[in-house]
Every structure is written in structure tokens, then in C-alpha cells.
Amino acid sequence: MTPNELLEEVKLRFSPLMHDEEDKLQALLLKALRTYQDRAGVMKRLRITDPDSKEIAPPDDYLTLVSVTDNTGDMVYSDDFGGVIALEFNFATQFPVTLTYLAKLTGLDREKDDLPEDVVGIVSDYLEALIAIPNTQRYRRVSIAGKLDVSDLPDENTLNQRKLDLEEQMSSRRSVIPGTTVYSSSFKAG
């Protein structure tokens, strides 16, 4: 599911959708993606099989380097130089090597790129909570102007609490950085 498909699905949850300006909805979609990216993160891995790959270009969705490990779990020295990731293999490096990085959700093409399946549910719920706040405010104002009963509409505190609860859920899903071994497991004392 692309980010824009997620937005369209969330918009269907509202009847009526009064906060429907596309630029404002896109801003809320970006906020939902950024909040998940900052609070939980999406970890991805890239496999390197060529021992001559001493420098590699970061993937398109690259946000920051987490770790680089060889096939035995030993750490491979690496550094991010802003357009290239330098790798330093030693005599004990076992291939393939795995580069682990945090992905940039806000850099996805909203029309073409798919969101990771495991984030769709919570990001869509969070986006719904973000849209519900201004949508309910508008609905309340229109209803009051029309002298309609608004007692069944959630208040602002309830809506904000829902948003905060979802942010806490995101934080509890925080990506766990895998452990690495500093000393080679293949080194034999002689």
C-alpha cells in the first residue's frame, strides 16, 4: 500500500469528511509518516556479497546507518560519508555482509512506493487521529451554527489523548538495534 492509498483508505473512515483540503491532508500524512519514523523507525537490511565493495552508495530510502556485520555476526568497520558508505573488511570477514540501516519513510514516493506492511495499521490509525481533530472541530462549529446537538461528538481532550496513546504505541514498537561482536569469532589464538 502506498502512502496515498493509505490516505484514501483513512478518508473513507469519516462521514462526513469536512477537513478535506488535499494540501492539508498531505501535510497530515507527512506528519504521520515522520512521527512513526522518529518514534519507532523502520529497519532494513542490504546484503553485500562482493569483497571488492569497499564503498557503496546508500539505498534511496536510507536515513542512517545502524550496523554492518559479517555472516558470523562480527562487526565490520563502516562509516557514513554522506554519499557513500565506506566498509573496511579484514582477514576474518565472512561474506555475505549485512548492512542494517534505518529507512526514511518521509522520502517515499507517495504514489509509487509501498509502505512496509507492519507499519500500515498503526500509521493509518495515527493519521485518522490527526484528521479527526480538525475534522471534529469543523463539524462541531457547523452543527452549533445549525443548532444541532453536538453532545455525541468527542471533545478535544479525548481526540488528543487518542493521538498521544498512538504515539506511545509507536514508541513501544521502536526498532531494536541488533547486537554485533567486536572480536572476531573466527580468530584462533595460536
Side-chain angles (χ1 to χ4, degrees), residues 63-83:
L63 180 64
T64 191
L65 181 65
V66 174
S67 68
V68 181
T69 57
D70 75 359
N71 198 38
T72 64
D74 290 344
M75 182 180 81
V76 173
Y77 292 102
S78 57
D79 207 348
D80 180 351
F81 288 103

Side-chain angles (χ1 to χ4, degrees), residues 6 10 68 83-84 87 110 137 140 163 170-171 190:
L6 181 135
V10 170
V68 181
V84 67
L87 305 171
R110 294 184 204 165
Q137 288 172 348
R140 183 182 309 281
K163 179 175 111 24
M170 287 179 190
S171 294

Side-chain angles (χ1 to χ4, degrees), residues 2-17:
T2 68
N4 280 345
E5 288 171 342
L6 181 135
L7 175 60
E8 291 304 313
E9 182 180 281
V10 170
K11 285 166 46 176
L12 295 174
R13 298 179 188 181
F14 292 91
S15 180
L17 177 62

Side-chain angles (χ1 to χ4, degrees), residues 135-154:
N135 194 69
T136 303
Q137 288 172 348
R138 285 185 180 184
Y139 191 62
R140 183 182 309 281
R141 282 194 303 264
V142 168
S143 296
I144 290 172
K147 299 185 190 234
L148 300 173
D149 181 27
V150 293
S151 61
D152 61 335
L153 294 177

Side-chain angles (χ1 to χ4, degrees), residues 34-46:
R34 180 172 287 118
T35 300
Y36 190 88
Q37 175 182 293
D38 292 347
R39 288 186 169 270
V42 173
M43 206 163 321
K44 289 191 172 181
R45 299 177 339 157
L46 179 68

Side-chain angles (χ1 to χ4, degrees), residues 58-115:
D60 291 340
D61 62 349
Y62 177 84
L63 180 64
T64 191
L65 181 65
V66 174
S67 68
V68 181
T69 57
D70 75 359
N71 198 38
T72 64
D74 290 344
M75 182 180 81
V76 173
Y77 292 102
S78 57
D79 207 348
D80 180 351
F81 288 103
V84 67
I85 298 171
L87 305 171
E88 188 178 317
F89 305 126
N90 63 37
F91 70 93
T93 302
Q94 300 286 317
F95 283 85
V97 168
T98 302
L99 182 143
T100 305
Y101 66 98
L102 288 175
K104 181 170 42 174
L105 293 178
T106 57
L108 293 174
D109 181 318
R110 294 184 204 165
E111 287 291 329
K112 297 177 185 171
D113 294 338
D114 284 329
L115 288 164

